[in-house]
Amino acid sequence: MTRVIEKAISLVTTNEELIRSVEGMECIMPETVYQNYAGNLHRAWMAMHRAITVAQMMNLQRGLVSPSLKFIEPETRVTFNPAQTCFKLIQTDRYLSIMLGLPHSSLDDRFPTPQLSDECSPTERMQCIHCAVAGRIIERNNGGFNSLAKAEEDDVLLRKAADEMAPQWWLIPNFIPCSSDGSKLLRDTLRIMDQLTHYHMLIRLHLPYIFFSPGPRNNRSKITAINASREILSRYIAFRTSSSAHFYCRGCYFLAFIAINILCIAHINSRSQSHGIESSGVHTGFECLAPQSSK
């Protein structure tokens, strides 16, 4: 299968003569998904930027289906949604950019802004907010202004988006194959991916502040990052122990690896920061680790 995919990449999705159409751009997007699932995040990032370049050449960021757009099949023009396509490009690009520490594309980001997502469903609104927050985290990590106040503003956005979801939505899915309803497995898989993305955004948002000295605001960041890491690992274990999910997304390994590292760093910092201040009454933010540390 790998040889077939590599042949398709070399003959089609990297052929500039073939990808100068909507269908050509749409062929690049599955390549990005494949590379991400295979764990080849750099190749996925490069493929996504190829697709974004084609989208920009066709001015898809305007959200309009121009008569000048090149379609190979007439049916594609009827079903094509440029706004939705641009959002998917931005969503995937920001996920890969934040994972790799690389800059995101300059594609117009008016789609994933909370102000323009009021008519979306709660899940779509959450995805929009994830994109908006991811963009600001990437800019911060690439030399932008690092402000705890701005991080708290984004934290409020994420929490409001989470509160809009039904409590049952946050339950960890049970990945038991259901022969009578194969679509349930797909819905549960997509749901847990959104859950993992949400907790990953919380970790990335608060990551710089887990190294700061104890203080009420910094402590909140430490607790948030620790709890989000635990939530990711709980879902990762449920996801990977299901035989029905073994085919899906090695990219999850990276999320679990980040969560494990956060917890390890938190335990190390808990030991170092608590040394000498046990009797001072100062809260370090790592008190929530005490039950695990004492075992």
Side-chain angles (χ1 to χ4, degrees):
M1 179 178 176
T2 301
R3 288 190 298 174
V4 173
I5 292 174
E6 292 297 332
K7 183 63 69 173
I9 292 172
S10 63
L11 295 178
V12 180
T13 62
T14 56
N15 187 328
E16 294 184 358
E17 294 298 326
L18 295 179
I19 61 175
R20 294 178 182 177
S21 64
V22 171
E23 289 88 348
M25 178 197 63
E26 290 179 336
C27 285
I28 303 175
M29 296 171 72
E31 178 193 345
T32 301
V33 174
Y34 167 78
Q35 298 292 2
N36 177 49
Y37 289 176
N40 303 323
L41 298 190
H42 282 93
R43 293 189 65 180
W45 185 86
M46 289 188 289
M48 178 51 56
H49 278 245
R50 260 188 284 126
I52 289 173
T53 299
V54 176
Q56 289 175 318
M57 290 174 59
M58 294 188 289
N59 287 320
L60 293 187
Q61 67 272 15
R62 295 180 179 177
L64 302 174
V65 182
S66 170
S68 62
L69 278 180
K70 182 180 179 181
F71 291 90
I72 298 176
E73 298 291 339
E75 295 81 4
T76 307
R77 182 181 292 274
V78 177
T79 59
F80 180 63
N81 186 327
Q84 186 180 61
T85 299
C86 276
F87 176 71
K88 291 300 181 184
L89 291 171
I90 294 170
Q91 185 182 39
T92 306
D93 174 51
R94 294 194 177 179
Y95 155 73
L96 292 169
S97 296
I98 203 170
M99 290 294 290
L100 295 169
L102 296 173
H104 59 76
S105 74
S106 59
L107 189 65
D108 187 352
D109 64 352
R110 63 190 178 92
F111 298 103
T113 55
Q115 294 82 0
L116 296 178
S117 59
D118 293 334
E119 297 181 358
C120 298
S121 68
T123 301
E124 292 170 336
R125 178 173 172 79
M126 172 178 280
Q127 292 171 348
C128 289
I129 290 175
H130 287 165
C131 279
V133 172
R136 289 195 280 271
I137 293 173
I138 292 168
E139 291 172 2
R140 179 194 70 185
N141 293 348
N142 284 279
F145 183 64
N146 191 354
S147 167
L148 181 56
K150 289 186 177 295
E152 289 178 340
E153 291 176 4
D154 288 336
D155 182 83
V156 170
L157 271 180
L158 291 171
R159 293 185 187 279
K160 285 183 177 179
D163 290 341
E164 290 184 7
M165 308 303 296
Q168 295 82 358
W169 189 89
W170 289 103
L171 297 176
I172 300 176
N174 185 2
F175 290 100
I176 298 177
C178 181
S179 57
S180 61
D181 185 10
S183 62
K184 182 180 183 301
L185 181 61
L186 176 60
R187 291 196 303 270
D188 286 344
T189 301
L190 295 176
R191 178 159 64 93
I192 203 171
M193 289 299 108
D194 284 331
Q195 292 176 1
L196 289 171
T197 299
H198 182 79
Y199 291 119
H200 180 227
M201 287 300 102
L202 286 172
I203 289 175
R204 292 288 187 168
L205 183 63
H206 292 281
L207 177 59
Y209 310 105
I210 69 173
F211 302 100
F212 284 21
S213 301
R217 299 175 75 183
N218 294 335
N219 290 352
R220 284 197 296 271
S221 289
K222 296 171 186 178
I223 294 171
T224 299
I226 290 168
N227 290 337
S229 297
R230 288 171 172 169
E231 295 289 353
I232 283 180
L233 290 179
S234 297
R235 284 157 177 78
Y236 172 79
I237 292 170
F239 188 66
R240 296 309 299 175
T241 53
S242 169
S243 60
S244 61
H246 282 174
F247 70 94
Y248 189 86
C249 197
R250 289 185 184 176
C252 293
Y253 290 147
F254 295 104
L255 298 182
F257 179 73
I258 291 169
I260 290 171
N261 276 274
I262 293 298
L263 291 176
C264 288
I265 292 170
H267 278 282
I268 293 170
N269 284 356
S270 173
R271 297 287 186 177
S272 61
Q273 291 187 13
S274 62
H275 180 68
I277 64 172
E278 291 87 350
S279 60
S280 66
V282 176
H283 294 287
T284 65
F286 294 120
E287 289 79 11
C288 58
L289 294 171
Q292 286 75 20
S293 299
S294 62
K295 290 182 180 180

